[in-house]
Each structure stands twice: as structure tokens, then as C-alpha cells.
Amino acid sequence: RGTAEDHGVGFELQDFCQEYEDNRLPPEVCAKLAERGFPLSSLTDCRCGNKDPRTDGVRLETKEYVKIWLFIAKLGAPRFEYKFAAELPSGVLEIGGYGLF
């Protein structure tokens, strides 16, 4: 176990998108994700405009926050495997991201 910073990402995703309607990742975080291999072009905000997330940052949708969280988890635990399900049995997955709602 360890934090995302321990695995070379350089930030904690849970530090972002925590306040009501705070759904942005700053450009420096986007740049760090890109350096580690995350496909920024897969994010809705990047596909719908002419923005460069490494200079402008991005607005996230809920599914994208989860996608980034899982990407970071996989960096720290390369054998970690997951699949998406329609719904969680408990209905709740506590990984941060309150600001996305």
C-alpha cells in the first residue's frame, strides 16, 4: 500500500474535486497524468474543444474521475485487475470526487 505520490504520480487525486461543483483538474496534474501514460484525449473536455489539458486543465465527469483513480491504482499495483459493473452492491464507492456532483 502507499499513496499515489509514492508511485511517482506526484499528486493525490483525492485532493481535487472535493468541493461542491469543483470538477476541474489543474494543468499541472494533467501534465503529470500524461507523463505517466494516461490518455488525456479520452476525456470529454479534451474531445469537445480545442483545449490543451496540460496548459488549460480539464473539467471531469464522474466516470472520468473513476477512470483516473483506477489508472493511478494500477500504477501502484500493476497486477490489480478490475472490471466495470452496472452498479455496486452497496451503491457507494468512497474514492473522493464530491465536487463532480
Side-chain angles (χ1 to χ4, degrees), residues 52-68:
D52 180 349
R54 291 164 290 189
T55 57
D56 300 324
V58 294
R59 287 175 291 144
L60 294 178
E61 295 181 3
T62 306
K63 290 179 184 177
E64 295 169 335
Y65 183 92
V66 172
K67 190 175 179 182
I68 292 169

Side-chain angles (χ1 to χ4, degrees), residues 1-9 36 68-80:
R1 188 180 164 158
T3 66
E5 281 197 55
D6 295 336
H7 302 297
V9 179
R36 297 296 287 169
I68 292 169
W69 192 94
L70 289 167
F71 172 82
I72 293 169
K74 186 100 171 146
L75 288 176
R79 295 188 318 198
F80 172 66

Side-chain angles (χ1 to χ4, degrees), residues 18-65:
Q18 294 304 306
E19 299 298 323
Y20 182 70
E21 294 185 353
D22 173 24
N23 63 350
R24 294 194 65 77
L25 280 185
E28 59 273 9
V29 170
C30 294
K32 289 177 182 180
L33 283 169
E35 288 170 12
R36 297 296 287 169
F38 185 83
L40 293 173
S41 62
S42 70
L43 301 176
T44 302
D45 205 30
C46 298
R47 292 192 315 263
C48 294
N50 296 321
K51 296 181 180 181
D52 180 349
R54 291 164 290 189
T55 57
D56 300 324
V58 294
R59 287 175 291 144
L60 294 178
E61 295 181 3
T62 306
K63 290 179 184 177
E64 295 169 335
Y65 183 92

Side-chain angles (χ1 to χ4, degrees), residues 82-99:
Y82 60 88
K83 64 180 179 174
F84 290 98
E87 291 186 34
L88 296 171
S90 68
V92 177
L93 178 62
E94 297 290 336
I95 61 171
Y98 174 78

